[in-house]
Each structure stands twice: as C-alpha cells, then as structure tokens.
C-alpha cells in the first residue's frame, strides 16, 4: 500500500457516488408531480369559439388524451398525422391545449392540416400550461376515467410510443 | 446527402482514432518505428474527417436543412447568418462535435510540432489522445448523432435559444473548449511519460508550452462567459458560482497549479509525482465538467441537454480514463521521489504553497458544486449553496495566495538570501499599503478592513510585478535581460493584480437599484441622473423589441445615451433583456428594463459598476502573459539536441 494509491481510491468513491446520483433521479423522467394525482383543474375558452368554455369537467368518465400544441412548434407538425389517425380510429377522445399561440394562426393551422381534437382550449398566456407543468410543446397527458394523470409524454407521438407507453397504461380499453 | 456524408466522415474518424490509439502504442511498446510512424498519419486523417463532419453540419445550418433534426431544433429561416454558424455548437450534439474537432485539432498540433520529441514518446502521446477521440466520437455516434434526420422535414426551425444569439456567446464555447480540451495534451504527455517510465525533466519542458496555451484559452473563454453573463442575463453580476461556471473554473484552478508545478519540475526536477497528478486532475476535471453539464445531474441555468443514457456514457468514459490514469500513477509514482532539496526560503517553497492553496480553492468550489447533490442523495433535504457562501469560502485560500504571489515572484530557486529579498520587497510593500488605503479612501470615499485587504493585495501584486520589468530596463549593458518566460509570468501576474483590484472595488462600491421610470421622468443613482426620454418599438431580424432611450447626466452635464431593450423573439417566445451599458475603464453605467408597470412605466434596474472592466481586462492581460511565456525560445529550439545536455551534465555530476 503506498500513498500514491489514494487519488485512485478517492476517485473510485466519487464515481460510485455519481453513479448513485444518476440512478437516484432519472433526469429524463422529468418531475411529473401530477402523475397519480388528479389533473389540475382549469376552464378556458375553446380555440374556435371564445364563448364556449372547456375544462377538466369535460374529461371525466373515460380515458382521455390532452395534447399540448402550438403552430410555432415544429414537432407538433410532425405528430399531427398520427393524431389524425388516432382520432379517426375513435379509440380515445383527444383534447388539445393550444399553448402560447395566436388564435387566427391556430385556426388556420387546423384548417390546413385537419382537426383531430374534440376541442382545443386556448391558452396564449401559459396560464394552464403553468399549472400543468408544461415544459414545451408537444406534450401529451393521459388521464384515466377518474381524471387522474396516468402518464405524460414529452415530444411527438408516433404509433410505437402510443403502443408502448399509452395503450399499456389503459386498462380494459381496446385490449 | 450532405448530412450523410457528415455522418460517414464521423464514422471514418472513429476508425482512424482507433488506429491512432492502438498502432502507435503497440509500436512504442515493441519499439517498431514503422508502427510508431502511423501516429502522425492517423492523427492527420482523423482531423480531416472530423473537420468534414463539422463542415457538413455547418453547411446544413447555412442552407436551412430542416430535414436534419438538430438543425430543425436549433435554427430558423430568419436567424442571422452568424448565429446559424454559432448554432452549430449551440446545443448538445453540435457542441460535442466541436469538442471532437478541437481534440483532433490539438492532436494534429502535437503531431505537427513534436519533431524534436523522441519518436516513441510522441507516438505514445498521440496514441493516448487517440483513445480520448474514440471516447468522444463513439459518444456522439451512439447517443448524440447531430446528423439524425427528421421525417418529414420541418417547414421552419424552432430557432436557436435567444440567450445564445449574441456575439459573445457565439465565440465563448470554442475558446472554452480549446482550453478544456487542451489539458488533454498535458494529460497525454503525463500518461506517455508514465508508460515509458522515462520521467526526466525534458518531459516537463515538452509539456509546459502546451499547458500554458490551453490555460490561456481557458482564461479567455471563462472571461468571455463572465462578460456575456454580465450584459446578457440582465442582472449585472459577473460571476454566479453556477454549476456550469464552476465546471470550467475547477480545471482552470488546477491548470494554474499545474503551470506553476511544471516550472518546478522543469527547472529543478522536483515535485514530479505531484505534477503528474495535477496533469491527470486538470483533464479529469474537464471531463467531470462535461459530465456535470451534459448529464443533467445538477440543475443549472445553462444545462441544455439532460439525458441519463448520455450521463452514463460520459461517466463510464470518465471512469475508464481517470481510473486507468490513476492506476498507472499509483504504480509508477513511488519510483519518482527526488532527493534534490531546497531551502525554506526559496521559490520552490512559494510554488508549493501556491499549489496547496489552489488545490484547497478547487476543493472548496467542488464541495460547493456537489454538496447540493450529496444532500439530495442522502435525503438530508435540499440545500442550496449560493453566492455568499462561495464568496466567503473562496477568499480563505485566495487572500494568502495573492499575498504570497508577490513574495514568491522575487524568490530565487534553491535558496534565497533573506536580506536581498527583503530589499526587493520593501518598496512594493510600502507602495501597496499606501495606495491600498489611499485609493478607496480618497477616490471612492470609504474604507473597511476587507476593502483595505483587497486593495493592498491588488496594488502589492501590481507594483511587485513591475519591479522585474523596471530592473530589466535599467540593467547595465551586457547583463542578461528577461526571458520571455519571466516576462510572461510578470505580465500574467500584473493581470491578476488588475483583476483583484476590479473585483474588490466593484464589490465594495457597486450600486444596484431598481427604479420605476416612464417617458419623461428621471431618477438619480450613485450621483448620476438617468432620464427616460422615450419608449419605442424596434424590429430586429427575428425579434421585436421595446427600446427605452435613456440619457445619463452628471451635475447637469450630458454623459451618454443608452438604449436598453426588452426583446421578444418571434419563434421562441421568451422575452430577453438587452442591457444598455455605458462602458468605461473607470466605471460602467448599466440600465436594464425589468417589467412593464401599470401606468405606462417600466421597472428599470440601474447599476453603477466602478472598475468592473478591470475584471475582464485583467483576464485578457493574464492570457497575454501566457502567450508570451509559451513563445519562449527554449521551447522552439531543437529540443532533441537540448534534451541530451542535462542528461550529460547529470552523468558527469
């Protein structure tokens, strides 16, 4: 045993510690304090008609998707086709949260690409987005029939992710 | 097509890096000249292919190729061209490619400028650098491919983070990386020396200029980052002890210790094992910094990418590199103890103290950076270690460091007679104390203990750095003048003095004040009158902004007009603050717009920052000192010739 071995011992300790640190908090599993809890309540005017309100009250009773989107969001365009397919399959009601966007742009966008949503809530000021802990668009929340957040996905949806992360979490639906 | 060429070039570079690692090291082991000769060729080829990959990514940005995911996420049609280029390293994947390019560049430089170094030694150095290249290229190809396609292609990109759309931050990462990665050369030299077991002083001389150049780039990179934070983040601070800043500061501190320790090893053949350990540590801390930033293990305002797979990869690579190096060290170092002695009062003693204090300073920064993580893991609750803690703790080793610096500069190697030493130090000490009290008291009108300590220390270094220069100018004809090494050291220490003076004065006399201003009203801060003349809307290429026109007057006399802006970028909608700064050597006047108030006015942060420019100017002078020292003649003359000389002398001694 010589004194020159101490740096090695010290570093091995540090590495073990850092590995534990990485395992401790998986940074990609972004803190979703909402998972397993009731979705934060909200009520917002719909995108297409400011007179009509939409909110958590509309969701209860079945599995529901809440998709956060915006016209400036490139990846939203990427997942849009899949959302259209999903809506056509009628397997789950999809609601939109139009986020930090402008109403005319958003309506034109849905006109061009099609509208997969039963309705979109209009949230230009990021009020509900803040309550729901939205990091960026697109983001998709899966709510169970009781209105509890079951899962939250960051980034665009595609059929593989849908099957792996969403369908597997929905009990007794389409299975 | 072009992105695929880039990806292909990246894979070819990985293959060449593998060749560059294996063949020269085996060649050096077997003493096979042909195999050693592969080192330079492979290093050149590796650089060429990494450069091609880098060029392809740049091309994708310049041509707005939004079918490349990385481009689509970090650029936009209306982004100004210069930021399309800097966006290449604006996020995780591209900054890794820049890292690989810089590493390949350093390797090429070693291959090109190592003609005087024994072939086997150069082959080992280049081989070790090849291993590091393998790590980074594989990391990119496996977990962070910048050329990944986006299908279908995006119509327009998501834009570069507005924080990064700034000339300062466009060149900050390249400078920082050149510094960070440059320590890999010192690391490779240390490993090569330990592999060969031939640890005479020539090893230290070969390493010195490389270390100094890496250090000067790191100095510039950190200073530029600090300057950017000052005018772009809108808070007017210049250092935040943020985890990312600390990640670059720790290698700087150890790199500084390494430069000083290398001097002892080269001149006196002492501290060899310690110097080796510092060379390993400096680069390990660069890697640790990358890990901390890229793994998302610490939450930081700067963290762009968080991904545990990437974290594990960097950690595994860090483990292999550092554990391997330290195991080699534990095996080799015991045979390196030198019996050459030195007196208590000698330059060696001061350099030893310099090293001890710098290592303590590094340990403090490291503790402060990692402690929140430790607490979180041990479930001791969350703690946050903030600026006040760092500001206080960091002074404990640095005040003695600064005081000793002035003394050590004038001490001779081996032994320094006390009498002549005190003669030299008397004058700088007196001038330092006098100026250190007079300047704060009469120029700025206040004095306190800490203030006096800071100012005296600063003037003490400034004046004692001038002594050798004045002596050299007044020397008799025929006497030897200063070498570039000595001049470089003196200049760098003078820069350090400027830095200390700037920090002391700005932290004691800086004024920060939040006021409410609306067009036509004015307010007074630190004796200056700030009048908001008008508010107007302006439009930039990819943003719109509200701009305030603020006139600054003192005693009725007009000084300047500044135009702070609050920008709204069109794609990434976060608002950005663009401060209006009247910059001057003696003081900065800083106006930043806060939030809009109800009555048509704005909250405005006004700051008076005396001598803040000396902080960055001091860093610049330090870097210039490094440049002068690295250009010393003795690093350029045919080293092979010279390296025989000391050996011959030792043989006869």
């Amino acid at each position: 045993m010589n004194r020159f071995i101490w740096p090695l011992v010290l570093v091995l300790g540090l590495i073990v510690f850092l590995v534990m640190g990485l395992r401790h908090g998986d940074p990609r599993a972004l803190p979703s304090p909402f998972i397993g809890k009731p979705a934060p309540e909200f009520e917002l005017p719909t995108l297409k008609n400011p007179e009509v309100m939409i909110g958590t009250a509309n969701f209860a009773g079945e599995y529901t998707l809440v998709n956060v989107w915006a016209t400036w969001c490139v990846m939203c365009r990427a997942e849009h086709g899949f959302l259209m397919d999903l809506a056509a399959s009628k397997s789950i009601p999809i609601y939109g949260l139009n986020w930090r966007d402008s109403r005319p742009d958003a309506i034109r966008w849905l006109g061009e690409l099609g509208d997969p949503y039963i309705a979109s809530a209009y949230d230009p000021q990021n009020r509900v987005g803040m309550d729901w802990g939205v990091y960026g668009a697109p983001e998709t929340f899966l709510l169970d029939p009781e209105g509890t957040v079951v899962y939250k996905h960051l980034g665009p949806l595609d059929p593989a992710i849908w099957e792996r992360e969403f369908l597997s979490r929905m009990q007794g639906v389409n299975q | 097509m072009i992105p695929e060429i880039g990806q292909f070039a990246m894979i070819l570079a990985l293959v060449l890096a593998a060749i560059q690692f294996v063949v020269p090291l085996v060649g050096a082991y077997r003493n096979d000249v042909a195999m050693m000769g592969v080192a330079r060729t492979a290093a050149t080829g590796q650089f060429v292919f990494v450069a091609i990959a880098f060029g392809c990514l740049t091309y994708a940005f310049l041509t707005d190729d939004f079918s490349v995911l990385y481009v689509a996420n970090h650029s936009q049609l209306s982004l100004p061209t210069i930021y399309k280029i800097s966006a290449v390293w604006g996020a995780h994947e591209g900054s890794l490619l820049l890292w690989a390019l810089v590493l390949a560049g350093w390797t090429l430089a070693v291959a090109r400028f190592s003609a005087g170094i024994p072939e086997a030694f150069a082959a080992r150095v280049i081989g070790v650098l090849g291993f590091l290249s393998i790590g980074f290229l594989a990391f990119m190809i496996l977990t962070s491919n910048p050329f990944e396609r986006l299908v279908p292609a995006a119509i327009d990109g998501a834009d570069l983070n507005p924080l990064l759309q700034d000339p300062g931050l466009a060149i900050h990462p390249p400078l920082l990386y050149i510094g960070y990665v440059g320590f890999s050369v010192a690391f490779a030299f240390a490993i090569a020396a330990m592999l060969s077991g031939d640890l005479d002083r020539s090893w230290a001389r070969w390493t010195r200029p490389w270390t100094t150049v890496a250090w000067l780039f790191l100095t510039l990179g950190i200073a530029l980052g600090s300057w950017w934070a000052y005018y772009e983040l809108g808070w007017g601070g210049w250092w935040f002890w943020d985890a990312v800043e600390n990640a670059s500061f720790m290698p700087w501190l150890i790199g500084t210790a390494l430069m000083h320790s290398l001097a002892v090893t080269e001149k006196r053949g002492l501290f060899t094992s310690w110097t080796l350990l510092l060379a390993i540590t400096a680069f390990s801390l660069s890697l640790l910094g990358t890990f901390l930033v890229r793994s998302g293990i610490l939450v930081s305002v700067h963290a762009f990418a968080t991904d545990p797979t990437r974290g594990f990869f960097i950690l595994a690579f860090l483990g292999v590199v550092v554990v391997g190096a330290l195991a080699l060290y534990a095996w080799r170092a015991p045979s390196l103890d030198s019996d050459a002695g030195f007196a208590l009062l000698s330059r060696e003693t001061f350099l030893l103290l310099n090293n001890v204090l710098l290592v303590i300073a590094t340990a403090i920064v490291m503790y402060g950076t990692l402690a929140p993580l430790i607490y979180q893991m041990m479930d001791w609750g969350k703690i946050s270690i903030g600026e006040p803690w760092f500001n206080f703790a960091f002074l404990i080793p640095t005040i003695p460091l600064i005081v000793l610096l002035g003394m050590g500069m004038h001490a001779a190697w081996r032994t320094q007679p006390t009498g002549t030493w005190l003669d030299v130090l008397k004058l700088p000490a007196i001038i330092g104390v006098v100026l250190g009290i007079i300047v704060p008291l009469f120029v700025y009108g206040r004095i306190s203990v800490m203030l006096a300590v800071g100012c005296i220390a600063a003037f003490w270094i400034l004046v004692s750095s001038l002594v050798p220069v004045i002596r050299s100018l007044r020397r008799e004809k025929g006497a030897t003048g200063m070498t570039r090494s000595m001049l470089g050291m003196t200049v760098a220490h003078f820069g350090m003095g400027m830095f200390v003076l700037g920090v002391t004065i700005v932290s004691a006399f800086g004024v920060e004040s939040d006021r409410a201003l609306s067009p036509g009203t004015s307010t007074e801060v630190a004796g200056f009158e700030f009048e908001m003349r008008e508010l107007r809307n302006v439009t930039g290429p990819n943003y719109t902004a509200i701009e305030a026109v603020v006139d600054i007057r003192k005693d009725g006399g007009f000084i300047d007009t500044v135009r702070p802006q609050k920008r709204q970028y069109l794609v990434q909608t976060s608002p950005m603050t663009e401060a209006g700064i009247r910059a001057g050597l003696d003081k900065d006047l800083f106006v930043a717009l806060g939030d809009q108030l109800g009555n048509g006015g704005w909250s405005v942060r006004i700051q008076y920052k005396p001598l803040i420019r000396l902080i960055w100017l001091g860093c610049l002078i330090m870097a210039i000192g490094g440049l002068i020292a690295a250009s010393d003649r003795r690093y350029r003359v045919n080293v092979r010739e010279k390296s025989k000389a000391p050996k011959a002398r030792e043989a006869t001694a």
Side-chain angles (χ1 to χ4, degrees):
Chain A
M1 192 72 182
N2 65 58
R3 65 195 162 94
F4 297 104
I5 214 158
W6 284 111
L8 185 61
V9 174
L10 207 70
V11 160
L12 285 174
L14 184 68
I15 288 177
V16 168
F17 171 72
L18 289 175
V19 170
M20 284 164 62
L22 269 187
R23 290 187 174 279
H24 193 78
D26 179 345
R28 190 197 263 167
L30 272 167
S32 302
F34 308 110
I35 286 182
K37 295 198 180 137
E41 283 185 23
F42 75 89
E43 194 171 40
L44 280 175
T46 59
L47 177 67
K48 290 187 173 168
N49 185 353
E51 317 264 289
V52 179
M53 302 300 278
I54 185 177
T56 27
N58 302 59
F59 299 160
E62 55 186 327
Y63 278 100
T64 308
L65 278 192
V66 179
N67 174 255
V68 182
W69 65 282
T71 54
W72 47 263
C73 149
V74 178
M75 302 313 284
C76 298
R77 196 175 279 264
E79 72 172 0
H80 200 83
F82 173 71
L83 287 178
M84 291 300 292
D85 294 347
L86 193 63
S89 76
K90 299 203 184 297
S91 50
I92 189 166
I94 309 173
Y95 289 87
L97 178 65
N98 178 254
W99 186 59
R100 297 171 74 171
D101 208 347
S102 89
R103 196 185 292 269
D105 285 355
I107 291 175
R108 195 177 325 119
W109 204 70
L110 292 180
E112 282 168 19
L113 299 175
D115 185 354
Y117 308 107
I118 293 175
S120 279
Y122 179 56
D123 183 19
Q125 307 285 343
N126 188 25
R127 274 200 222 110
V128 172
M130 195 70 93
D131 288 346
W132 281 54
V134 173
Y135 282 78
E139 249 177 54
T140 308
F141 294 82
L142 175 64
L143 309 188
D144 73 4
E146 285 79 46
T148 306
V149 180
V150 182
Y151 181 65
K152 165 181 173 180
H153 179 74
L154 298 175
L157 292 179
D158 61 37
I161 292 171
W162 171 253
E163 197 136 312
R164 193 174 67 233
E165 306 289 359
F166 286 79
L167 273 183
S168 63
R169 287 181 167 85
M170 294 160 59
Q171 290 144 359
V173 180
N174 286 353
Q175 281 179 349
Chain B
M1 183 59 198
I2 298 286
E4 276 68 35
I5 293 178
Q7 178 154 17
F8 192 57
M10 223 160 60
I11 295 167
L12 280 178
L14 176 64
V15 172
L16 282 167
I19 295 170
Q20 181 197 326
F21 166 54
V22 176
V23 179
L25 281 177
V26 173
Y29 179 70
R30 288 203 199 147
N31 208 13
D32 180 331
V33 179
M35 284 178 86
M36 288 190 253
V38 171
R40 290 195 167 87
T41 321
T44 312
Q46 200 236 115
F47 176 80
V48 168
F49 283 108
V50 176
I52 289 173
F54 193 83
C56 289
L57 189 60
T58 312
Y59 179 83
F61 269 96
L62 287 175
T63 53
D64 298 311
D65 186 350
F66 298 128
S67 69
V68 176
L69 181 63
Y70 183 72
V71 179
N73 278 335
H74 302 287
S75 184
Q76 204 240 335
L77 287 170
S78 62
L79 189 66
T81 305
I82 166 153
Y83 299 130
K84 281 183 182 164
I85 296 172
S86 73
V88 172
W89 53 79
H92 174 77
E93 289 85 348
S95 59
L96 274 176
L97 187 54
L98 177 66
W99 180 295
L101 180 71
V102 171
L103 182 56
W106 275 105
T107 311
L108 184 68
V110 171
R112 170 78 184 70
F113 299 113
S114 60
I117 297 176
E119 196 63 25
F121 195 89
R124 286 197 179 96
V125 171
I126 293 171
V128 172
L129 288 170
F131 181 75
L132 302 178
S133 286
I134 293 176
F136 277 94
L137 289 167
F139 182 40
M140 238 186 316
I141 293 169
L142 295 177
T143 75
S144 328
N145 180 4
F147 296 106
E148 198 172 319
R149 289 286 195 174
L150 172 66
V151 181
I155 310 299
D156 197 355
D159 205 357
L160 180 64
N161 184 343
L163 268 177
L164 307 185
Q165 297 187 25
D166 173 87
L169 213 68
I171 51 171
H172 163 68
L175 286 178
L176 200 63
Y177 282 14
I178 292 174
Y180 252 17
V181 182
F183 286 133
S184 66
V185 179
F187 174 84
F189 271 87
I191 300 295
M194 287 191 291
L195 282 175
S196 69
D198 186 18
L199 281 152
D200 62 8
R201 292 180 208 175
S202 39
W203 157 73
R205 188 177 55 244
W206 298 330
T207 313
R208 269 185 94 179
W210 297 101
T211 309
T212 310
V213 173
W215 175 89
L216 82 88
F217 276 106
L218 190 56
T219 309
L220 288 176
I222 294 175
L224 200 63
S226 148
W227 182 51
W228 166 79
Y230 167 70
Y231 68 74
E232 185 73 24
L233 295 182
W235 309 325
W238 56 277
W239 191 259
F240 303 99
W241 297 108
D242 167 84
V244 173
E245 288 173 327
N246 293 347
S248 64
F249 192 43
M250 287 189 280
W252 187 89
L253 288 168
I254 292 293
T256 310
L258 174 62
M259 278 197 310
H260 290 87
S261 155
L262 273 170
V264 185
T265 308
E266 188 208 348
K267 294 282 185 191
R268 300 275 290 117
L270 293 168
F271 301 179
T272 308
S273 57
W274 175 244
T275 305
L276 286 170
L277 186 59
L278 285 179
I280 296 170
T281 311
F283 182 63
S284 305
L285 285 176
S286 297
L287 285 181
L288 179 72
T290 314
F291 168 75
L292 290 179
V293 177
R294 291 292 164 215
S295 67
I297 199 165
L298 293 172
V299 177
S300 153
V301 290
H302 291 67
F304 307 117
T306 55
D307 183 339
T309 337
R310 293 170 179 172
F312 277 115
F313 191 107
I314 304 179
L315 194 55
F317 181 61
L318 181 86
V320 170
V321 171
V322 182
V323 170
L326 289 177
L328 187 62
Y329 175 79
W331 176 44
R332 285 289 194 187
S335 63
L336 295 175
D337 281 337
S338 167
D339 49 6
F342 54 93
L344 186 62
L345 183 58
S346 64
R347 184 170 283 195
E348 287 90 325
T349 307
F350 284 104
L351 288 172
L352 183 65
L353 289 171
N354 152 298
N355 271 233
V356 170
L357 291 169
L358 280 170
V359 169
I360 292 174
T362 312
I364 287 172
V365 176
M366 191 177 228
Y367 171 78
T369 311
L370 293 180
L373 189 64
I374 299 172
Y375 273 68
Q376 191 190 336
M377 277 180 53
M378 299 295 167
D379 285 324
W380 295 338
K382 285 224 172 210
I383 58 156
S384 69
I385 292 192
E387 275 185 74
W389 183 88
F390 277 108
N391 285 342
F392 172 74
F394 196 67
L395 284 179
I396 297 169
T398 44
I399 288 176
L401 183 69
I402 290 163
V403 174
L404 290 169
L405 185 161
M407 300 181 185
M409 277 176 78
H410 301 291
W413 294 109
R414 266 174 234 274
T415 179
Q416 166 69 47
T418 317
T420 53
W421 185 60
L422 291 179
D423 280 347
V424 176
L425 294 181
K426 213 168 13 186
L427 194 62
I430 294 170
I431 298 177
V433 171
V434 171
L435 282 179
I437 292 172
I438 284 182
V439 168
L441 194 58
F442 292 101
V443 179
Y444 295 99
R446 185 161 56 84
I447 190 109
S448 69
V449 176
M450 281 313 287
L451 186 54
V453 168
C455 288
I456 290 171
F459 283 110
W460 157 246
I461 305 179
L462 287 171
V463 179
S464 52
S465 306
L466 288 175
V467 170
V469 180
I470 294 167
R471 283 175 137 200
S472 164
L473 291 175
R474 285 171 52 190
R475 73 179 190 275
E476 289 162 28
K477 280 205 174 98
T480 50
M482 292 176 93
T483 61
R484 292 242 184 136
S485 277
M486 285 167 64
L487 183 63
M489 170 194 82
T490 310
V491 170
H493 286 165
F494 190 81
M496 188 74 214
M498 291 171 67
F499 174 82
V500 173
L501 186 64
V503 173
T504 310
I505 295 290
V506 80
S507 37
F509 297 106
V511 178
E512 298 178 8
S513 184
D514 290 320
R515 301 291 170 92
L517 277 182
S518 51
T521 61
S522 68
T523 185
E524 194 187 293
V525 173
F528 295 89
E529 190 198 345
F530 296 83
E531 184 193 351
M532 188 187 282
R533 189 140 45 90
E534 59 171 320
L535 271 173
R536 59 188 186 190
N537 292 311
V538 292
T539 312
N542 53 347
Y543 62 86
T544 58
I546 292 173
E547 180 178 274
V549 182
V550 179
D551 288 341
I552 306 175
R553 290 193 190 78
K554 174 150 190 160
D555 304 328
F558 176 79
I559 294 181
D560 204 354
T561 300
V562 294
R563 294 183 163 78
Q565 293 183 344
K566 196 82 176 175
R567 287 184 185 170
Q568 184 85 17
Y569 282 80
L570 302 178
V571 177
Q572 298 202 347
T573 45
S574 49
M576 291 292 310
T577 300
E578 201 74 16
I581 301 173
R582 148 85 188 189
L585 263 186
D586 59 333
K587 64 177 174 301
D588 271 19
L589 297 169
F590 178 111
V591 182
L593 288 176
D595 299 307
Q596 191 157 14
L597 304 172
N599 50 6
W602 281 73
S603 74
V604 176
R605 166 160 281 203
I606 296 175
Q607 308 194 40
Y608 161 72
K609 295 275 174 186
L611 295 190
I612 193 164
R613 295 279 140 177
L614 288 194
I615 292 174
W616 306 298
L617 206 58
C619 292
L620 182 65
I621 304 271
M622 277 190 253
I624 292 173
L627 189 66
I628 296 172
S631 69
D632 194 295
R633 230 183 123 260
R634 75 175 187 287
Y635 302 127
R636 281 174 293 136
V637 293
N638 191 336
V639 188
R640 193 178 293 173
E641 294 280 304
K642 271 197 86 175
S643 68
K644 283 178 187 157
K647 271 186 196 159
R649 204 164 55 222
E650 271 159 357
T652 55

